[in-house]
Amino acid sequence: VYSCFSSTCYIPENLGPADTFTAWCNSHLRKAGTQIENIEEDFRDGLKLMLLLEVISGERLAKPERGKMRVHKISNVNKALNFIASKGVKLVSIGAEEIVDGNAKMTLGMIWTIILRFAIQDISVEETSAKEGLLLWCQRKTAPYKNVNIQNFHISWKDGLGFCALIHRHRPELIDYGKLRKDDPMTNLNTAFDVAEKYLDIPKMLDAEDIVGTARPDEKAIMTYVSSFYHAFSGAQKAETAANRICKVLAVNQENEQLMEDYEKLASDLLEWIRRTIPWLENRVPESTMQAMQQKLEDFRDYRRQHKPPKVQEKCQLEINFNTLQTKLRLSNRPAFMPSEGKMVSDISNAWGALEGAEKGYEEWLLNEIRRLERLDHLAEKFRQKAAIHEAWTEGKEAMLTQKDYETASLSEIKALLKKHEAFESDLAAHQDRVEQIAAIAQELNELEYYDSPSVNARCQKICDQWDALGALTQKRSEALQVRTEKLLETIDQLYLEFAKRAAPFNNWMEGAMEDLQDTFIVHTIEEIQGLSTAHEQFKATLPEADKERQAILGIHNEIAKIVQTYHVNMAGTNPYTTINPTEINAKWDKVRQLVPQRDQALIEEHARQQNNERLRRQFANQANVIGPWIQTKMEEIGRISIEMHGTLEDQLTHLRQYEKSIVNYKPKIDQLEGDHQQIQEALIFDNKHTNYTMEHIRVGWEQLLTTIARTINEIENQILTRDAKGISQEQLNEFRASFNHFDRDHSGTLGAEEFKACLISLGFDIGNDAQGEAEFARIMSIVDPNRLGVVTFQAFIDFMSRETADTDTADQVMASFKVLAGDKNYILAEELRRELPPDQAEYCISRMAPYTGPDAVPGALDYMSFSTALYGESDL
């Protein structure tokens, strides 16, 4: 049996029908204007045999002998057989004498040899040859058709549907395939044979009745006839191959354009969000109340917990998409993607940095404002208390100082009025400090921009004006009394005076003590509350001495009562020197005694609150002091992983994804720390001496950790993509990584220019120190470091090495594919693109191709050459 992988041809025992071979020969001979009638007789003189070989090979044979003698015929047949042998086919048992003698078996064997060599042997589909290649081609072309199952070159063709399917696949307008029936083979076969002869210029080599009436049709006859279909449609096959290449290139271009559009939209959305958010974070207009500022702080917490985390992920995904897109562009030999102005990854990073700067300043401002408002509320309450006490004391004083009672009083009454006035002056002097305190508090409220400063200022001004008026009236009354008084030395008056002098400061002390015991306090640490508790204990230690003073003052009053009772003095009214009486002193003393335990309880409660605050500080610090170093350790471990080699890239990717999972599983600890931080802020705790880590540090570190692991995984994925697309072996990648790491002395993940040059030399690049070598190295640096940063990343290094060791589609290849579709024309028409390409890719080309303006241009001609170069960045679309 003949094998297409053998260079020797033996005569088959079972030759195909002579009519089939005759028709095949005539299909070629008619190109030379002749034909044969009897295959056994018409090749005997060798003339038409030589002509057949010249037609099917396209070569010229030796000049034939024109004589009629047997020797001339044998010479011609030998020339034909020698030509066949020169094509690598050894003829066994076939001699010129048998052909000249009209040996049917030898003649048909020779024709079969010619058919195999020139019609079938050159058929190749996916590295198969001859019979197998022709069978595979038939199977692929008929695969979409129902009831067609081509497995051989005999019974698979009996129903005629195989022939009809081949014609319909390439020329669907010639046969209405849907109307064919498997149970009507005669109609199917005759339809195929007639259409092939009429429209495809394939002669009728087979007989439908012979095929249907034979249990196993002749394999060689079927192969001969089918090979004619293969050659008839070979031009379409080339067009299909060219169309496939163009579709592949266009698909890559469309996918890249979609990725670019997605990047632009995502970048625009993210930058717009940053643009809207920064003014909000930079707004430093303070609120007038603590409640409003607390709401601002709560809004900021919502921003950090709900609004910003998705944007962190978008920013990370944007960088990953950008790197993946650039890798795909490099792998498909396209120019690098340059985003719109202001949308580079560096622009987004700068905008993000501005956002975080505004964010950090905003949080600090919020806490300072809350602290300020807290201080303001405390001061305002203190102002109101002191002002109320002073206003109550001044009530009726102006009326007392302006009365003219001394004008009609007796001398003794004058003396009484004078002593009373002296006591009032002592009382007035004692209140000077309170007025100064009220003015100082009002001044501080103004400096801190208290929202209700106008009312505070008005009240303070009224108190100051009243105080000045009291001073002037006191001086005026003192002068009036001095003029009309005389010194009286009555004992009772002295006692009254002594009572008044001692009672006034003691009364003032009690009022001050009550004010202090009821004063609100604000502390932030255990030490501060302990200081207040110590001061309170010191105050309580003075109470026994104060009680002695109270007893002494009451003793003076008792002495007066005793003199009055002993000497029966008629006393008109109360102590003329003071309005303070023993009952009032005792009542205030009881009030002081009552307020002391209340103050004790308030200090105890505040001490408990500060202890709880200290617990919150330690609770936060204990976690922060673990999480902070943990994040730093993970960052360092990721840095080591990115420069070390352990296993294949897939192993490294699996390890990194497991590593990423372990990091993500740590998120609950971050959330727990956020909860502790919220408790701290709600408790108005502003410092923590137990840790150097703030929640801001932890947040930034956590976001950087997630971004770093995602970026590292993306780098490994891009390396896998580069390796697979460029055909780089794992050993090559390991060699590249080992060389890169060797020259990365500082383990920074990048190489300086000199380190990179040494690395290239170690890999066999010829880069000398002469001018030519320096120019070559400068060219390489412009590829791996287009931004002229002076460093080369590992990804850029891998891209360069893969480009040096791999091949990709080129503009010339795509241009050649378009030329096939265009039928070797310098332009292509829209209808040709729509016929050969899928609809979406055909319209993609038509919308982007420029009109062709060459001298051979026709209406509607499109320039596929400039389009092909533009795909690879060699011109502009």
Side-chain angles (χ1 to χ4, degrees):
V1 179
Y2 178 84
S3 171
C4 293
F5 295 102
S6 171
S7 61
T8 303
C9 182
Y10 299 91
I11 300 174
E13 294 297 328
N14 182 21
L15 293 174
D19 290 343
T20 300
F21 288 1
T22 299
W24 182 85
C25 292
N26 283 334
S27 70
H28 294 286
L29 286 172
R30 67 186 178 187
K31 298 175 184 177
T34 185
Q35 65 178 13
I36 61 173
E37 299 293 338
N38 188 321
I39 197 169
E40 300 169 11
E41 295 294 330
D42 293 349
F43 285 140
R44 292 178 62 186
D45 61 1
L47 292 175
K48 290 189 177 181
L49 179 60
M50 294 179 68
L51 183 60
L52 174 65
L53 290 172
E54 286 184 346
V55 171
I56 62 178
S57 68
E59 301 180 24
R60 296 290 295 178
L61 275 67
K63 185 177 180 180
E65 301 287 346
R66 294 296 180 181
K68 302 294 184 178
M69 299 177 63
R70 178 179 174 83
V71 65
H72 296 141
K73 296 177 181 179
I74 291 174
S75 175
N76 289 338
V77 173
N78 274 328
K79 290 178 181 179
L81 295 178
N82 290 337
F83 179 77
I84 295 172
S86 71
K87 298 303 179 182
V89 180
K90 294 182 180 179
L91 298 170
V92 179
S93 303
I94 299 179
E97 291 80 0
E98 287 82 357
I99 305 301
V100 173
D101 291 339
N103 187 314
K105 181 178 180 179
M106 292 297 178
T107 301
L108 292 176
M110 178 189 65
I111 296 302
W112 177 239
T113 300
I114 294 171
I115 291 172
L116 287 174
R117 174 60 184 83
F118 294 101
I120 298 177
Q121 183 173 324
D122 290 338
I123 297 173
S124 176
V125 179
E126 289 192 356
E127 300 182 358
T128 63
S129 298
K131 179 179 177 180
E132 293 80 2
L134 184 59
L135 182 62
L136 180 58
W137 178 78
C138 294
Q139 290 172 340
R140 287 193 169 179
K141 294 301 180 181
T142 60
Y145 295 87
K146 63 181 181 178
N147 298 328
V148 177
N149 183 18
I150 305 300
Q151 298 297 328
N152 49 58
F153 285 110
H154 37 82
I155 61 175
S156 294
W157 303 85
K158 286 193 64 176
D159 57 10
L161 290 177
F163 295 111
C164 292
L166 285 177
I167 295 173
H168 185 266
R169 180 64 184 273
H170 294 91
R171 297 287 299 277
E173 76 279 5
L174 298 181
I175 292 180
D176 188 355
Y177 189 82
K179 293 183 178 180
L180 301 179
R181 303 198 319 272
K182 190 175 182 66
D183 59 358
D184 189 6
M186 287 294 294
T187 299
N188 299 339
L189 290 166
N190 284 323
T191 298
F193 297 161
D194 293 342
V195 170
E197 184 174 31
K198 182 177 180 181
Y199 296 103
L200 303 178
D201 200 25
I202 299 175
K204 195 172 184 180
M205 303 181 188
L206 303 175
D207 184 83
E209 293 181 356
D210 289 344
I211 293 176
V212 174
T214 305
R216 179 186 170 99
D218 185 80
E219 184 177 51
K220 300 166 188 61
I222 298 293
M223 286 179 64
T224 301
Y225 189 53
V226 170
S227 69
S228 298
F229 282 92
Y230 175 86
H231 290 293
F233 295 135
S234 62
Q237 181 71 20
K238 291 179 182 178
E240 182 180 352
T241 301
N244 288 338
R245 175 183 289 275
I246 292 173
C247 287
K248 174 186 173 184
V249 171
L250 294 179
V252 170
N253 220 57
Q254 288 173 305
E255 180 184 4
N256 290 341
E257 286 185 359
Q258 185 60 48
L259 289 174
M260 294 175 191
E261 291 176 6
D262 293 345
Y263 174 89
E264 290 280 342
K265 184 177 185 307
L266 188 57
S268 297
D269 293 345
L270 184 58
L271 288 171
E272 175 61 20
W273 177 82
I274 293 174
R275 185 191 65 77
R276 295 195 311 268
T277 304
I278 287 180
W280 174 67
L281 293 172
E282 290 178 342
N283 180 15
R284 298 295 190 271
V285 178
E287 299 292 341
S288 59
T289 65
M290 176 71 79
Q291 182 180 3
M293 287 306 298
Q294 288 283 12
Q295 184 59 48
K296 275 184 176 287
L297 181 60
E298 187 61 31
D299 293 342
F300 180 71
R301 289 174 184 155
D302 289 341
Y303 157 78
R304 289 306 306 262
R305 289 194 300 261
Q306 299 176 15
H307 302 299
K308 185 183 178 186
K311 298 303 178 182
V312 173
Q313 296 178 1
E314 287 183 17
K315 175 178 176 290
C316 179
Q317 190 61 45
L318 192 69
E319 295 176 0
I320 291 174
N321 291 352
F322 181 80
N323 293 335
T324 301
L325 173 59
Q326 297 294 46
T327 299
K328 287 186 176 182
L329 289 172
R330 287 193 295 271
L331 295 180
S332 57
N333 205 20
R334 271 37 169 210
F337 169 54
M338 289 297 294
S340 303
E341 183 177 358
K343 297 180 183 176
M344 294 287 291
V345 172
S346 58
D347 296 326
I348 294 171
S349 296
N350 292 337
W352 192 264
L355 173 74
E356 292 189 330
E359 180 182 303
K360 183 176 185 301
Y362 187 67
E363 185 173 25
E364 293 175 353
W365 174 77
L366 281 176
L367 295 177
N368 288 333
E369 277 300 304
I370 290 174
R371 189 181 291 114
R372 183 181 69 84
L373 288 175
E374 183 184 38
R375 171 68 176 164
L376 283 175
D377 288 347
H378 171 69
L379 288 175
E381 180 60 27
K382 193 170 184 178
F383 174 83
R384 286 190 288 270
Q385 288 182 359
K386 288 185 176 294
I389 293 172
H390 176 78
E391 288 166 349
W393 177 83
T394 59
E395 187 176 357
K397 295 295 190 292
E398 288 190 21
M400 179 195 74
L401 292 173
T402 56
Q403 61 185 344
K404 305 295 186 179
D405 52 351
Y406 55 83
E407 292 181 353
T408 58
S410 62
L411 183 60
S412 60
E413 290 173 342
I414 292 296
K415 289 171 60 180
L417 290 175
L418 184 59
K419 298 301 182 183
K420 182 180 179 179
H421 189 70
E422 290 176 358
F424 175 75
E425 287 180 326
S426 298
D427 196 12
L428 187 68
H431 276 77
Q432 175 69 32
D433 185 57
R434 177 176 286 110
V435 174
E436 291 176 355
Q437 290 178 6
I438 291 172
I441 293 173
Q443 178 64 28
E444 188 170 359
L445 287 172
N446 278 277
E447 292 173 355
L448 294 177
E449 299 179 359
Y450 181 53
Y451 76 97
D452 199 21
S453 292
S455 64
V456 170
N457 292 338
R459 191 171 184 181
C460 180
Q461 187 62 45
K462 182 179 179 182
I463 290 172
C464 291
D465 291 345
Q466 187 183 39
W467 182 255
D468 292 341
L470 286 176
L473 290 173
T474 299
Q475 179 64 29
K476 183 177 180 181
R477 184 173 177 82
S478 177
E479 291 174 355
L481 290 173
Q482 287 293 341
V483 171
R484 304 185 61 138
T485 190
E486 291 182 0
K487 185 175 180 182
L488 300 176
L489 300 174
E490 288 83 354
T491 301
I492 201 166
D493 286 345
Q494 290 294 331
L495 290 174
Y496 271 138
L497 181 60
E498 184 177 359
F499 177 88
K501 288 183 177 180
R502 296 183 66 173
F506 184 72
N507 181 68
N508 193 57
W509 174 86
M510 287 192 296
E511 289 180 349
M514 288 189 292
E515 182 178 343
D516 291 340
L517 289 171
Q518 296 178 88
D519 189 18
T520 58
F521 51 81
I522 177 170
V523 295
H524 296 98
T525 66
I526 289 285
E527 291 76 11
E528 290 177 357
I529 191 62
Q530 288 175 344
L532 289 177
S533 297
T534 300
H536 183 61
E537 292 299 323
Q538 291 173 351
F539 168 76
K540 289 197 294 184
T542 66
L543 289 178
E545 288 297 326
D547 190 42
K548 290 181 181 179
E549 178 65 12
R550 181 181 68 87
Q551 295 292 344
I553 293 171
L554 294 177
I556 295 173
H557 178 75
N558 293 335
E559 186 176 353
I560 293 173
K562 184 178 179 181
I563 293 173
V564 169
Q565 184 177 3
T566 301
Y567 296 100
H568 305 288
V569 176
N570 185 17
M571 297 297 297
T574 58
N575 191 330
Y577 306 120
T578 182
T579 59
I580 302 171
N581 56 63
T583 302
E584 184 179 354
I585 291 175
N586 286 331
K588 290 183 178 180
W589 176 256
D590 291 340
K591 181 64 175 178
V592 170
R593 301 285 296 194
Q594 180 184 354
L595 290 174
V596 167
Q598 294 178 6
R599 185 70 167 187
D600 287 337
Q601 183 62 33
L603 290 171
I604 290 172
E605 291 175 356
E606 182 61 25
H607 190 271
R609 190 176 77 87
Q610 289 303 322
Q611 284 182 323
N612 183 62
N613 288 354
E614 183 68 11
R615 180 187 62 79
L616 292 177
R617 288 189 183 96
R618 291 183 182 276
Q619 179 176 300
F620 178 85
N622 290 339
Q623 290 193 74
N625 289 337
V626 173
I627 293 175
W630 181 87
I631 291 176
Q632 182 61 33
T633 300
K634 293 301 179 184
M635 290 288 288
E636 294 172 356
E637 290 177 358
I638 293 172
R640 288 198 298 272
I641 290 174
S642 65
I643 63 173
E644 293 175 354
M645 295 182 299
H646 295 293
T648 65
L649 288 176
E650 285 76 7
D651 294 338
Q652 295 177 38
L653 185 59
T654 300
H655 177 59
L656 279 171
R657 282 175 174 161
Q658 293 172 348
Y659 204 78
E660 181 184 37
K661 184 177 180 181
S662 69
I663 290 175
V664 172
N665 289 339
Y666 203 77
K667 181 63 164 57
K669 295 185 181 297
I670 304 296
D671 295 338
Q672 182 180 355
L673 192 65
E674 282 281 7
D676 293 343
H677 178 64
Q678 183 171 346
Q679 292 182 38
I680 283 178
Q681 287 194 329
E682 289 172 351
L684 299 179
I685 299 172
F686 302 108
D687 52 18
N688 194 339
K689 66 182 180 181
H690 303 297
T691 181
N692 292 326
Y693 292 102
T694 66
M695 196 62 230
E696 178 65 20
H697 293 150
I698 299 298
R699 289 172 186 150
V700 173
W702 176 251
E703 292 169 2
Q704 288 178 346
L705 179 60
L706 292 179
T707 300
T708 300
I709 187 66
R711 186 182 294 116
T712 304
I713 288 174
N714 178 246
E715 289 175 356
I716 297 298
E717 289 173 339
N718 284 340
Q719 291 176 29
I720 292 174
L721 187 62
T722 301
R723 180 199 65 190
D724 293 342
K726 300 297 186 177
I728 300 175
S729 67
Q730 185 63 45
E731 291 74 15
Q732 285 177 301
L733 278 176
N734 290 342
E735 180 185 359
F736 295 158
R737 170 55 84 180
S739 298
F740 189 91
N741 288 348
H742 176 75
F743 290 97
D744 184 14
R745 309 293 188 189
D746 56 358
H747 303 293
S748 63
T750 59
L751 297 180
E754 292 303 318
E755 292 174 333
F756 178 55
K757 184 175 184 181
C759 182
L760 291 179
I761 294 174
S762 72
L763 291 172
F765 282 78
D766 185 13
I767 301 176
N769 292 322
D770 55 2
Q772 183 177 358
E774 292 297 331
E776 174 62 14
F777 181 66
R779 181 191 69 81
I780 295 174
M781 281 299 293
S782 68
I783 297 173
V784 299
D785 182 23
N787 295 326
R788 299 183 180 180
L789 301 177
V791 294
V792 180
T793 65
F794 181 66
Q795 184 61 44
F797 175 67
I798 285 293
D799 291 340
F800 172 73
M801 294 303 298
S802 63
R803 185 181 300 176
E804 292 294 314
T805 56
D807 187 23
T808 59
D809 289 329
T810 65
D812 290 339
Q813 291 173 328
V814 175
M815 202 181 303
S817 297
F818 273 118
K819 194 174 185 69
V820 170
L821 298 188
D824 286 337
K825 300 191 298 292
N826 291 326
Y827 57 86
I828 194 167
L829 301 175
E831 54 266 25
E832 292 173 330
L833 289 170
R834 293 191 176 101
R835 185 180 66 237
E836 301 293 347
L837 299 179
D840 60 332
Q841 294 186 338
E843 298 305 323
Y844 176 83
C845 293
I846 293 170
S847 65
R848 284 167 171 75
M849 283 187 182
Y852 177 73
T853 57
D856 53 343
V858 299
L862 300 174
D863 187 354
Y864 62 79
M865 295 183 183
S866 63
F867 176 78
S868 299
T869 56
L871 287 177
Y872 292 87
E874 299 174 19
S875 66
D876 296 327
L877 280 177

